[in-house]
Amino acid sequence: MATRHLARTIVLQSFYEWDFYKQKTDLIKIVERNLAEFGPGIDEPDFVWRIVKGIIEHLEELNGIITKFAPEWPLEQIAIIDRNILRIGLFELLYADKNEVPPKVAINEAIELAKNYGGQNSSRFANGVLGAVFKQMVTTETVQQ
């Protein structure tokens, strides 16, 4: 498994646990434990922390985007795993350095996480939401130029 894919998996595991316990547990301790258990010797632990920090900093915005682009699914009704896959994908799509994580890589990685850890329709759901956000980004960038 590629290092960055493993890093995203650790982020997903950590956010899943944090979200499962209604965000009342210490996310930092969860990430530290998961890094030690599942990613000893990982090349870029700072990549994990950048995603975690970024999602926390933009959590309300990310949740709002999910609500906007998946209006038939109230946030609390989206499966915990899918909700956190979307948060990771959206953070990387919207806020990560585009030279480090190009938009299509962000989308593809989220789809892979959904295929590996989500339900039967998770990858299609992630692809639909992230694809719609990306399409709007491209349209907005074109208009601004």
Side-chain angles (χ1 to χ4, degrees):
M1 181 181 299
T3 298
R4 289 208 167 174
H5 186 74
L6 175 59
R8 289 180 183 95
T9 300
I10 291 169
V11 171
L12 179 60
Q13 290 170 319
S14 300
F15 271 99
Y16 180 90
E17 182 178 339
W18 183 69
D19 214 8
F20 181 82
Y21 290 110
K22 310 289 186 218
Q23 303 175 357
K24 293 183 183 351
T25 54
D26 186 341
L27 180 60
I28 302 301
K29 288 182 181 174
I30 295 169
V31 175
E32 287 172 345
R33 184 189 68 237
N34 287 337
L35 263 172
E37 186 172 340
F38 302 110
I42 195 169
D43 293 352
E44 297 179 274
D46 56 316
F47 184 71
V48 170
W49 291 111
R50 279 197 306 273
I51 296 173
V52 169
K53 183 177 184 261
I55 290 172
I56 292 301
E57 287 176 356
H58 297 284
L59 188 61
E60 286 186 35
E61 297 160 66
L62 296 171
N63 288 344
I65 293 165
I66 293 169
T67 301
K68 177 181 176 183
F69 284 89
E72 306 83 30
W73 291 94
L75 195 63
E76 348 30 86
Q77 289 184 5
I78 297 173
I80 295 172
I81 200 78
D82 294 345
R83 185 168 54 227
N84 286 293
I85 289 168
L86 288 173
R87 287 172 176 156
I88 293 167
L90 286 168
F91 168 73
E92 288 195 302
L93 184 62
L94 299 171
Y95 302 107
D97 179 349
K98 303 296 183 251
N99 294 319
E100 184 178 34
V101 182
K104 293 194 179 193
V105 170
I107 294 169
N108 288 336
E109 283 292 324
I111 291 168
E112 285 304 311
L113 288 172
K115 285 179 183 176
N116 291 329
Y117 301 103
Q120 184 176 358
N121 296 314
S122 296
S123 61
R124 282 186 289 215
F125 182 59
N127 187 39
V129 172
L130 296 172
V133 171
F134 179 68
K135 184 176 179 182
Q136 183 175 344
M137 284 172 53
V138 170
T139 303
T140 303
E141 288 172 6
T142 304
V143 170
Q144 290 177 351
Q145 292 175 357

